[in-house]
Amino acid sequence: MPDLRTTYLGLPLQNPLVASASPLSRKLSTARQLEDAGAAAIVMYSLFEEQITYESHQLDHYLNHGTDTYAEALSYFPDLEHYNIGPDRYLEHLSRLKTALSIPVIGSLNGVSSGGWIEYARLIEQAGADALELNIYYLPTDLSLSSSEVEDTYVRLVRDIRAMVQLPIAVKLSPYFTALPQFARRLVEAGANGLVLFNRFYQPDLDLENLQVVPNLELSSSHELRLPLRWIALLYGRIQTDFALTSGVHSAQDVLKAMMAGANVAMMASTLLANGIEQLTRIRTDMQWWMDEHEYPSLDLMRGSMSQQAVAEPAAFERANYLRVLDSFIRA
């Protein structure tokens, strides 16, 4: 039987299948189902900065930037009187999950600004979390705000949280950075133990009949795997950190590709929401069958075997691949 064991953020895991932050972790019963189906770890749903201190002056600075230009921008922000599930309830639920489950539970904080709210990183640690995923999402609309200022804000936040906790920290990133490798290195130097590539943002849609901006949730597909796959393959071996691949993980083949690119774990939510939690069992079984058929005794021997440093044509991950794709389309 092939060995599926891996490590992530210093945590020994029985396999690389991790349930990413989603509504599935909101109930103890479904969390137990995730463990029974084969999830090696669970990332809790996120606790948002806005839920902790949405009246703070520093957060107000971020929320109101650009609102003079976009008159309806403030309407995008949820009514926290109804949205707020309560930070204390989050900590209580985390503690219950840790008591009920034998697999690691990773807390999740979603925010952008340093301030009093990051005290909850320490409280999440005290509640028993095995690690912390910092989910950073900020949409800069201020025309005077430079990319370096945005990056400095993220790095400062990671550094401040690192000073507060001993927990392993993973930073969940978006792909929208001009020089991602350099920025990723800065985050690791600031104290991140792992990088999660990539955050999948939910874009608003337009209701033509009612002339309104409306939220629109669409689950991912395997086609979205290619973006994080490419970047993990590019960064593997160049930045000494753990990598989690998320967005587009739906099958055993997707997980195996993630491992070959250099990921330590593959995180998934959409396929579990669409196909049921038992999809975890199918993926794990299919992985073992494929590895046995192709004579891979362990994931360790597979990891990074298709990274840029390992393949015969490293340029295939860069601009040369773009030209080749165009040429193949013309020939077809």
Side-chain angles (χ1 to χ4, degrees):
M1 185 73 69
D3 186 358
L4 299 184
R5 289 179 297 177
T6 186
T7 60
Y8 177 58
L9 304 178
L11 303 171
L13 304 180
Q14 291 302 307
N15 64 66
L17 309 180
V18 175
S20 57
S22 79
L24 293 174
S25 62
R26 287 182 178 269
K27 291 184 178 181
L28 189 58
S29 59
T30 52
R32 286 198 180 105
Q33 291 174 33
L34 289 169
E35 180 180 32
D36 293 342
I42 293 177
V43 182
M44 281 188 65
Y45 58 93
S46 293
L47 177 61
F48 284 77
E49 175 180 353
E50 292 89 337
Q51 293 172 260
I52 300 170
T53 174
Y54 62 92
E55 292 181 348
S56 71
H57 294 298
Q58 187 168 7
L59 182 56
D60 184 68
H61 164 77
Y62 286 94
L63 295 177
N64 289 302
H65 258 50
T67 54
D68 291 335
T69 305
Y70 301 97
E72 66 273 57
L74 284 179
S75 67
Y76 301 157
F77 192 60
D79 178 2
L80 289 179
E81 293 301 322
H82 300 90
Y83 177 78
N84 196 339
I85 61 170
D88 291 339
R89 286 175 55 193
Y90 184 91
L91 297 173
E92 291 170 4
H93 186 55
L94 168 57
S95 182
R96 285 196 296 269
L97 289 180
K98 279 301 300 174
T99 300
L101 305 177
S102 60
I103 59 176
V105 177
I106 301 172
S108 177
L109 276 179
N110 187 310
V112 293
S113 64
S114 292
W117 75 276
I118 65 174
E119 166 70 11
Y120 273 81
R122 185 179 62 82
L123 296 177
I124 286 174
E125 181 177 39
Q126 292 178 352
D130 296 282
L132 176 65
E133 182 175 283
L134 182 57
N135 189 339
I136 301 175
Y137 173 47
Y138 170 52
L139 185 63
T141 59
D142 186 349
L143 297 179
S144 66
L145 191 63
S146 69
S147 58
S148 61
E149 289 176 296
V150 174
E151 292 182 9
D152 288 345
T153 298
Y154 291 172
V155 172
R156 183 165 53 251
L157 177 58
V158 173
R159 187 179 296 117
D160 289 347
I161 290 181
R162 167 49 66 213
M164 188 164 290
V165 299
Q166 298 298 315
L167 280 177
I169 298 173
V171 179
K172 193 170 187 178
L173 290 174
S174 82
Y176 307 123
F177 290 94
T178 303
L180 183 62
Q182 194 263 358
F183 179 52
R185 185 181 66 183
R186 291 185 66 195
L187 292 172
V188 172
E189 291 172 348
N193 304 100
L195 299 175
V196 184
L197 308 183
F198 284 112
N199 206 340
R200 186 170 179 268
F201 300 137
Y202 301 111
Q203 311 294 351
D205 199 0
L206 300 182
D207 182 342
L208 297 180
E209 295 301 323
N210 297 306
L211 301 181
Q212 293 180 340
V213 180
V214 294
N216 187 12
L217 173 61
E218 291 188 6
L219 300 179
S220 71
S221 70
S222 287
H223 294 292
E224 297 178 52
L225 184 80
R226 295 186 181 188
L227 181 61
L229 193 72
R230 180 188 197 184
W231 274 108
I232 289 178
L234 285 167
L235 296 177
Y236 177 79
R238 300 173 61 193
I239 298 178
Q240 299 308 309
T241 193
D242 288 350
F243 291 100
L245 188 150
T246 190
S247 292
V249 180
H250 284 254
S251 67
Q253 288 74 21
D254 295 335
V255 178
L256 292 167
K257 290 177 183 179
M259 300 301 104
M260 290 185 178
N264 296 76
V265 296
M267 295 184 172
M268 61 196 75
S270 289
T271 188
L272 305 181
L273 294 170
N275 302 308
I277 291 174
E278 62 272 13
Q279 179 74 351
L280 280 165
T281 304
R282 290 190 286 267
I283 290 175
R284 184 178 58 178
T285 301
D286 289 347
M287 285 180 62
Q288 291 172 326
W289 176 86
W290 190 95
M291 291 174 65
D292 189 52
E293 285 289 307
H294 294 79
E295 300 182 348
Y296 279 96
S298 70
L299 287 182
D300 284 341
L301 293 178
M302 178 186 297
R303 184 172 295 107
S305 60
M306 292 292 289
S307 65
Q308 187 186 39
Q309 294 185 341
V311 296
E313 293 185 69
F317 287 105
E318 299 180 7
R319 185 173 174 82
N321 185 59
Y322 178 67
L323 301 175
R324 181 176 297 177
V325 169
L326 291 179
D327 183 60
S328 66
F329 181 78
I330 294 172
R331 293 175 186 273

